[in-house]
């Protein structure tokens, strides 16, 4: 094998140890390179400069916007027809309704009617056990019969003595006359006792006090009842009204004859009516005043049905109004802001306080003025720009 290939092998694997020693001996010693001095960081100067630029820009921006007038929603005050309405919720009620109760106590033995039945005046509604009262009546009749016999005997005795004339002493006649008078009084007393017993007996039968429909049954056969026990509710459904409570704050504004528009629950059509009754007594517990509204046309509806009613309290052909949101309290004075010469000016006004979105202005505004409809955050004299819808 030839030796010419060995140098090539050594070249591929690096120099020999001897060659390495010779080469290291020929390399001169190197001086250490001095480090480059670091530059001072000045980033905080650039940050400070940026903040100053932002502050100047914000100041310029704020001055720009402060110089601009504040846009405000407005409307032109003009007279227009106005209707003042009081909205109330009520329920259907019968004009004539009564809770039927017994006049005597006892066991309820007969109840010939049911809920929903129509009855006539005088018709039997219930019967209460009257066996004991029948016995009382019979006793009273027997006592009266005995008193009648005693009276008749006393009269006959007196008549015979009177017929004898002078043959009978005057004192005897007087005694017999007093006996007749006493017998007459006993008859009268026992007659009254019998009549009273018969009245009580009749009260054991409960009759309808009027024509109407039975709305509710509150008792059952076999129940022990007394004068405080309701048997049933009877109502005349031929005349129905709406009963509602009005807050006492508006009590003086409601009067009989005022027109009303009503809508029964479950209906889309409205019905006309008029206030037929206004109570003169305020319920101190609720602060409400009872009002009844009659229908102009007959209506058929169940008692207790909810009715939404709008009572028309006042109608004006021309009046100035403002939104409730335009009102602003400046201390103890209530007013609105109007736009004049590009600025908001406070104007005290007088309005008709009413539960509505718009209020009638009675003083403080004149036709043609521009009122700010939402004065939240506005102050007197502030520069504003009218933003009409």
């Amino acid at each position: 094998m030839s030796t010419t290939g060995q140098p090539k092998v050594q070249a591929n694997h690096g120099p020999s140890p001897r060659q390495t020693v010779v080469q290291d001996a020929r390399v001169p010693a190197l001086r250490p390179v001095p480090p480059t001095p670091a530059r001072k960081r000045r980033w905080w100067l650039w940050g400070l400069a940026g903040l100053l630029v932002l502050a100047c820009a914000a100041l310029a921006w704020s001055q720009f916007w402060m110089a601009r007038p504040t846009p405000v929603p407005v409307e032109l005050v003009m007279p227009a027809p106005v209707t003042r309405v009081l909205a109330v919720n009520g329920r259907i009620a019968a004009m004539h309704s009564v809770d039927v109760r017994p006049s005597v106590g006892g066991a309820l033995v007969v109840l010939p009617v049911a809920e929903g039945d129509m009855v006539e005046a005088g018709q039997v509604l219930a019967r209460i056990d009257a066996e004991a009262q029948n016995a009382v009546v019979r006793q009273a009749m027997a006592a009266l019969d005995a008193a009648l016999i005693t009276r008749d005997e006393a009269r006959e005795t007196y008549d015979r003595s009177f017929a004898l004339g002078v043959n009978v002493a005057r004192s005897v006649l007087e005694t017999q006359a007093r006996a007749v008078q006493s017998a007459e009084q006993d008859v009268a007393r026992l007659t009254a006792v019998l009549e009273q017993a018969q009245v009580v007996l009749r009260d054991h039968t409960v009759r309808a006090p009027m024509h109407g429909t039975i709305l509710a049954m509150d008792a059952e056969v076999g129940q022990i009842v007394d004068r405080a026990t309701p048997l049933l509710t009877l109502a005349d459904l031929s005349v129905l009204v709406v009963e509602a409570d009005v807050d006492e704050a508006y009590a003086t504004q409601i009067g009989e004859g005022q027109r009303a528009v009503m809508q029964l629950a479950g209906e889309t059509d409205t019905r006309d009516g008029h206030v037929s009754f206004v109570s003169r007594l305020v319920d101190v517990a609720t602060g409400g005043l009872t009002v009844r509204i009659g229908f102009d046309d007959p209506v058929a509806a169940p008692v207790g049905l909810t009715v939404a009613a709008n009572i028309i309290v006042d109608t004006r052909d021309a009046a100035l109004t403002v939104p409730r949101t335009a009102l602003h309290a400046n201390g103890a004075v209530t007013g609105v802001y109007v736009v004049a010469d590009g600025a908001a000016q406070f104007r005290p006004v007088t309005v008709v306080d009413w539960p509505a979105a718009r209020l009638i202005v009675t003083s403080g505004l004149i036709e043609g003025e521009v009122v700010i409809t939402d004065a939240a955050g506005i102050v007197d004299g502030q520069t504003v720009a009218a933003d009409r819808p």
Side-chain angles (χ1 to χ4, degrees):
M1 185 172 181
S2 174
T3 61
T4 57
Q6 293 180 356
K8 295 181 179 179
V9 173
Q10 293 177 355
N12 293 335
H13 290 83
S16 65
R18 184 179 179 182
Q19 291 177 345
T20 303
V21 173
V22 173
Q23 290 176 357
D24 292 341
R26 294 179 181 179
V27 176
L30 299 177
R31 295 180 180 179
V33 180
T36 304
R39 300 179 61 184
K40 294 183 178 180
R41 297 181 179 180
R42 300 176 180 273
W43 58 268
W44 60 273
L45 293 176
W46 290 104
L48 181 60
L51 291 176
L52 290 175
V53 171
L54 291 176
C56 292
L59 179 61
W61 185 260
S62 63
Q63 292 295 328
F64 171 74
W65 279 104
M66 289 179 63
R68 293 187 60 186
T70 303
V72 290
V74 298
E75 69 175 28
L76 190 64
V77 178
M78 296 297 292
V82 176
T83 300
R84 192 152 51 101
V85 175
L86 180 63
V88 296
N89 287 326
R91 293 188 179 277
I92 293 289
M95 177 67 76
H96 303 290
S97 177
V98 62
D99 291 331
V100 179
R101 289 178 169 85
S103 300
V104 297
L108 192 61
V109 294
V110 176
L111 197 62
V113 293
E115 184 175 332
D117 289 351
M118 295 185 62
V119 298
E120 299 294 334
Q123 182 175 335
V124 175
L125 301 178
R127 293 185 188 276
I128 299 172
D129 184 16
E131 184 176 352
Q133 189 61 31
N134 279 322
V136 172
V137 171
R138 290 194 297 269
Q139 290 176 358
M141 292 179 64
L144 178 59
D145 290 341
L148 289 172
I149 294 173
T150 302
R151 183 197 63 181
D152 292 342
E153 291 177 350
R155 283 181 176 177
E156 291 176 357
T157 301
Y158 175 78
D159 290 340
R160 284 195 301 267
S161 298
F162 185 79
L164 294 175
V166 294
N167 295 324
V168 178
R170 184 178 182 85
S171 59
V172 174
L173 286 175
E174 291 177 353
T175 301
Q176 293 176 352
R178 286 193 296 269
V180 172
Q181 184 178 6
S182 177
E184 294 283 358
Q185 292 176 350
D186 285 342
V187 169
R189 179 179 60 82
L190 293 174
T191 300
V193 170
L194 176 60
E195 291 176 350
Q196 182 181 7
Q198 291 173 339
V199 169
V200 175
L201 180 62
R202 287 196 298 268
D203 288 342
H204 282 69
T205 300
V206 182
R207 299 182 181 274
M210 65 179 187
H211 166 82
T213 302
I214 298 176
L215 298 182
M217 298 293 299
D218 301 312
E220 296 181 357
V221 174
Q223 180 178 345
I224 303 299
V225 298
D226 55 24
R227 294 183 178 182
T229 305
L231 299 180
L232 52 88
T233 301
L234 182 64
D236 182 4
L237 301 184
S238 61
V239 181
L240 298 179
V241 296
V242 175
E243 285 189 351
D245 283 339
V246 175
D247 191 273
E248 59 182 345
Y250 313 108
T252 58
Q253 305 290 325
I254 305 300
E256 295 182 7
Q258 291 176 340
R259 194 165 65 88
V261 179
M262 295 166 286
Q263 185 177 33
L264 278 63
E267 293 186 354
T268 57
D269 297 335
T270 58
R271 301 172 184 267
D272 295 331
H274 289 81
V275 176
S276 59
F277 171 79
V278 179
S279 176
R280 295 297 181 265
L281 178 65
V282 174
D283 189 338
V284 295
T286 63
L289 187 73
T290 302
V291 174
R292 293 194 187 103
I293 306 173
F295 292 91
D296 290 349
D297 298 323
V299 60
V303 173
L305 183 69
T306 301
V307 178
N310 289 332
I311 302 175
I312 300 174
V313 177
D314 185 16
T315 301
R316 305 188 183 189
D317 295 333
L320 301 180
T321 63
V322 294
R324 183 178 288 274
T325 55
L327 293 180
H328 184 79
N330 189 357
V333 180
T334 301
V336 297
Y337 283 99
V338 298
V339 178
D341 299 330
Q345 294 183 1
F346 183 76
R347 186 73 55 78
V349 297
T350 303
V351 298
V352 178
D353 190 11
W354 198 252
R358 299 188 68 87
L359 301 178
I360 299 175
V361 179
T362 56
S363 65
L365 287 179
I366 60 176
E367 180 182 346
E369 289 189 299
V370 179
V371 173
I372 300 176
T373 58
D374 189 355
I378 302 299
V379 296
D380 194 15
Q382 180 177 346
T383 303
V384 294
D387 184 11
R388 297 187 180 182

